[in-house]
Amino acid sequence: KIDTPRPPPGFINIGPRLLVAPRACSYNYSLMEVQASQELPVGACGDSVVTGTVERVAVASLPTEWGDFQIAAYRSLTTKEEFVVLFKGEMRRDVPTLVRIHSQCLTGDVFGSTKCDCGRQLNRTMQMIEQEGRGAIVYQQQEGRGIGIVNKIRAYALQDQGADTVEANERLGLAVDLRDYRQCAEILFDLGLCRVKVISNNPLKLRALEDAGLKIVERVSIEVDAEEDAAGYLRTKKEKLGHLLELKRS
């Protein structure tokens, strides 16, 4: 058995003191909440947040098939985690900027797996930022919602036998979601951002970034056409993890 630190069974870790039961999730990011966030002074953004837990190591140019970006490397000073950031345009605290926290998915991002929508979401986000002329992607190396690539493949094996993505983790004795977004938010602060338009369908991610001190002025939906292989996975994300999806299929 591979030991993986985890919160109590059936709960999701989204930051300090935030352990949420996925089936009970009903976080609604309403227009009223967005308007309230917009009214807060920019100077208050992240002022009470603990910083200094990540360091920027290097920045370079990265031409891609979607456009020219800058790529930055960050290192956590409290864990062994490393981060990659793709960004484009001037990063300003007072300008609402497109951002996405994209969790590493080796199978989808690199190998083009059709079991999920991760790779297509990443590509679509890069296209959106290129079209906007400004934005940032924090690439978080927490594979398989934090369980790692080996455990993710173990979970895939159970999914081949009929389990969904949540049931597979539970049968392995693993948490549904171990990701922590606090250092991702700190990286966005380090880039110079405050007011953000978050590209995400995950309400828990929105809450975590807001709790970290970012001012979310808009949630930008990111639903891409998915293959039939991903239908069950997307349905589980919607029904059990509360993702804001309409379940389009190609």
Side-chain angles (χ1 to χ4, degrees), residues 7-231:
F11 284 76
I12 295 173
N13 174 20
I14 60 172
R17 302 180 302 282
L18 291 171
L19 297 175
V20 179
R23 291 175 181 80
C25 173
S26 60
Y27 182 63
N28 295 315
Y29 205 73
S30 68
L31 178 61
M32 183 179 298
E33 289 170 314
V34 171
Q35 290 172 335
S37 176
Q38 290 173 329
E39 292 169 0
L40 291 172
V42 174
C45 182
D47 286 353
S48 62
V49 176
V50 175
T51 58
T53 71
V54 296
E55 66 173 350
R56 189 190 306 185
V57 179
V59 181
S61 298
L62 186 73
T64 77
E65 60 182 298
W66 309 121
D68 294 336
F69 292 80
Q70 295 291 301
I71 185 168
Y74 281 82
R75 181 184 294 125
S76 171
L77 299 177
T78 58
T79 71
K80 294 181 179 180
E81 190 172 3
E82 296 176 329
F83 303 83
V84 171
V85 182
L86 286 183
F87 64 99
K88 186 181 187 73
E90 184 181 4
M91 303 287 103
R92 292 176 49 182
R93 285 169 63 87
D94 61 327
V95 177
T97 301
L98 284 174
V99 301
R100 174 169 174 78
I101 309 301
H102 188 89
S103 297
Q104 176 177 294
C105 177
L106 178 69
T107 48
D109 298 342
V110 177
F111 298 135
S113 169
T114 57
K115 286 173 66 73
C116 66
D117 59 345
C118 303
R120 293 187 180 193
Q121 284 190 330
L122 179 59
N123 292 339
R124 178 60 185 139
T125 299
M126 292 175 68
Q127 291 174 317
M128 293 167 69
I129 290 174
E130 175 64 22
Q131 291 166 3
E132 182 98 348
R134 183 196 311 268
I137 303 168
V138 179
Y139 196 85
Q140 181 184 35
Q141 296 183 336
Q142 295 192 18
E143 180 80 43
R145 299 193 301 272
I147 63 174
I149 187 60
V150 172
N151 280 331
K152 177 179 175 178
I153 295 172
R154 293 173 69 212
Y156 271 7
L158 292 177
Q159 291 173 40
D160 287 344
Q161 299 171 24
D164 65 35
T165 184
V166 170
E167 294 166 346
N169 281 34
E170 292 174 340
R171 290 183 190 180
L172 291 171
L174 303 172
V176 174
D177 195 334
L178 280 169
R179 290 172 294 183
D180 189 318
Y181 303 110
R182 285 170 290 180
Q183 292 190 322
C184 297
E186 185 179 339
I187 288 170
L188 293 175
F189 289 134
D190 183 74
L191 288 173
L193 296 177
C194 170
R195 302 167 72 84
V196 293
K197 299 184 290 186
V198 182
I199 303 171
S200 179
N201 300 324
N202 185 346
L204 295 181
K205 188 179 292 185
L206 293 171
R207 184 190 300 175
L209 293 180
E210 189 174 57
D211 287 342
L214 289 163
K215 305 308 175 192
I216 300 177
V217 301
E218 183 183 351
R219 180 188 79 85
V220 180
S221 177
I222 174 96
E223 187 161 0
V224 296
D225 291 336
E227 300 292 337
E228 182 65 31
D229 292 337

